[in-house]
Amino acid sequence: MPAWGSPTSSAGTVPRVATSLPAGDVLLSWGLAGWRAGMSPSPSLRWPRSSGLPSVSGSIWKRSSSWMGATGFRSCRGAAWRCPCWRRSCPVYGCPRRCPVSCSGSRAARRRTPAQKLRDELQRLLGESWSEELECDVPRAWQRHGDLVLLSEDSFRAAAWEKLGPVLWETVTSALGAQRLARRGRVLPDGMRSPSVTLLLGQDGWVEHVDNGIRYTFDVTKCMFSPGNITEKLRVASLPCSGEVLVDLYAGIGYFTLPYLVHAGAAFAHACEWNGHAVEALRRNLVLNGVQDRCRVHHRDSRQLELRDVADRVNLGLIPSSEEGWPTACRVLKNTGGVLHIHHNVEALPTSAPLQTQVLQAEHKSPEGAGNNGEAPHPTEDGGKETLGARIRPEWQKWAEATASRIRGLLAELRGQQWRTNILHIEAVKSYAPHVHHLVLDLECRPTLPT
């Protein structure tokens, strides 16, 4: 054992290593040997925090407060040993460049967010080729669906990434703790809001997502899934629908059909959807949640739906506007009437209302932003008990009244008698752009009784 490894003196100092024997080499040679032999730290090898050992360059290695690896040293105040991880610094493992973080066992490493870990892994992969341009191209937010991570469309667009080939996607997937990787593009203008998603790593895009105890399975390369609608799903799940019949004119994969059946207590649902990929997912989801016997799937354009006089509630969950489905909604309502849930995107200018009317339920939610861990969080349900008049903007009220008037006219035309409409609630789901909000109008429709 070298002289520096002997017990400390009464003064608590560490004897200096002979000048003919580089201190760093001795330290790491002993450390590797001890590590390979599975040695534990000796009680006799105790150094005060204020003392240290000189390295090759004369810098000082400080002992860590906990036993790190085999040496117990993890930080360097000099230029020779740049990597704070002793395994990368040693002559056997080497350290080709400056390591950006502490070794994996340190507290600093454990505090790294997934976004930081992804950046660090890519920086290590690229080495000297790393640049600020590439760092700006690394995603800081994504969606996670089980073992699949869905990247945003503006991720990894620089030409330098293409040269890495499959190793890039393997590194990204590993850094994010996933098994499969995909990147979304712009929504296709095909009338079905079909996604343009490329599978980067993996065999298929089928995933499973759980919201409020409801299981959704879908193919991310063929179907859309909006986590920003979670607040409306939660609200739908709490509606008193026991014994009622629902007609969902834009069912998709069952975003709202399933909450009505699973939680709200609807007796039966008619789910209309014209996208074949969404219909396949919808049928699977009905089985997954054990409600397939209480739902009939109509694979067709909702405007051609032949149902009449069956619905206590009609869900019109299409944006930016569900107006084309209003005539169908009026036809499927029971003769005794019911409730329409009408979705629409409404624009409200910021200067059009006094400050006290600008307190919005939607502004208390994060539409689809990124949290500290890089994953897009779901908006949280607003627990406020404000009255309707204290939350809405004048444009919202104006749109709701105009919609109620249009629906009254359609009902009178289709039913041959006068109907009355009552605005029950205006729900702000989320914002899509500055001053543009996704709203849901709960509109009660009843026939006018003869006097």
Side-chain angles (χ1 to χ4, degrees), residues 2-277:
W4 61 267
S6 59
T8 57
S9 65
S10 58
T13 59
V14 181
R16 294 291 180 180
V17 181
T19 55
S20 60
L21 187 60
D25 289 349
V26 173
L27 169 65
L28 289 172
S29 297
W30 176 87
L32 286 173
W35 170 62
R36 288 170 178 156
M39 293 173 60
S40 59
S42 169
S44 64
L45 300 180
R46 295 182 182 141
W47 296 281
R49 280 179 173 269
S50 59
S51 66
L53 290 172
S55 70
V56 179
S57 66
S59 60
I60 302 298
W61 281 87
K62 303 288 287 186
R63 186 184 191 280
S64 69
S65 57
S66 61
W67 191 255
M68 296 295 297
T71 64
F73 296 88
R74 63 177 176 184
S75 60
C76 176
R77 298 190 303 186
W81 301 93
R82 293 192 173 187
C83 180
C85 176
W86 71 272
R87 290 192 181 181
R88 297 194 185 101
S89 302
C90 74
V92 175
Y93 287 86
C95 184
R97 61 183 180 80
R98 186 177 182 89
C99 182
V101 297
S102 309
C103 69
S104 59
S106 70
R107 291 182 180 179
R110 290 197 299 268
R111 285 196 300 265
R112 284 188 305 166
T113 66
Q116 291 170 332
K117 183 178 179 181
L118 173 61
R119 180 198 60 203
D120 295 339
E121 293 296 326
L122 291 172
Q123 187 176 355
R124 181 163 58 240
L125 176 66
L126 287 167
E128 298 298 329
S129 301
W130 185 254
S131 65
E132 291 185 5
E133 178 187 0
L134 294 179
E135 183 167 358
C136 293
D137 208 26
V138 175
R140 291 171 174 80
W142 51 83
Q143 287 185 10
R144 181 181 295 273
H145 301 287
D147 67 348
L148 185 145
V149 165
L150 182 60
L151 302 174
S152 60
E153 60 182 297
D154 57 349
S155 303
F156 300 109
R157 291 301 184 184
W161 299 115
E162 298 180 5
K163 300 177 182 179
L164 297 177
V167 69
L168 169 63
W169 309 129
E170 293 171 0
T171 301
V172 173
T173 305
S174 175
L176 298 181
Q179 299 294 325
R180 295 175 294 166
L181 189 69
R183 180 173 57 195
R184 66 169 177 257
R186 297 189 179 277
V187 176
L188 299 177
D190 56 0
M192 301 184 186
R193 290 186 59 80
S194 299
S196 174
V197 175
T198 303
L199 194 63
L200 304 173
L201 187 67
Q203 297 300 317
D204 65 79
W206 280 94
V207 299
E208 183 171 313
H209 193 89
V210 179
D211 266 343
N212 194 26
I214 298 174
R215 298 169 64 189
Y216 297 89
T217 185
F218 59 100
D219 188 339
V220 295
T221 65
K222 297 180 173 65
C223 299
M224 295 284 293
F225 188 90
S226 176
N229 290 337
I230 180 61
T231 52
E232 179 63 9
K233 294 176 198 170
L234 291 170
R235 190 179 76 91
V236 162
S238 66
L239 294 175
C241 303
S242 179
E244 294 184 351
V245 175
L246 166 76
V247 173
D248 191 348
L249 293 183
Y250 308 100
I253 67 172
Y255 305 108
F256 301 113
T257 302
L258 290 169
Y260 276 112
L261 291 172
V262 175
H263 294 310
F268 196 83
H270 293 274
C272 187
E273 176 56 45
W274 69 353
N275 185 332
H277 300 299

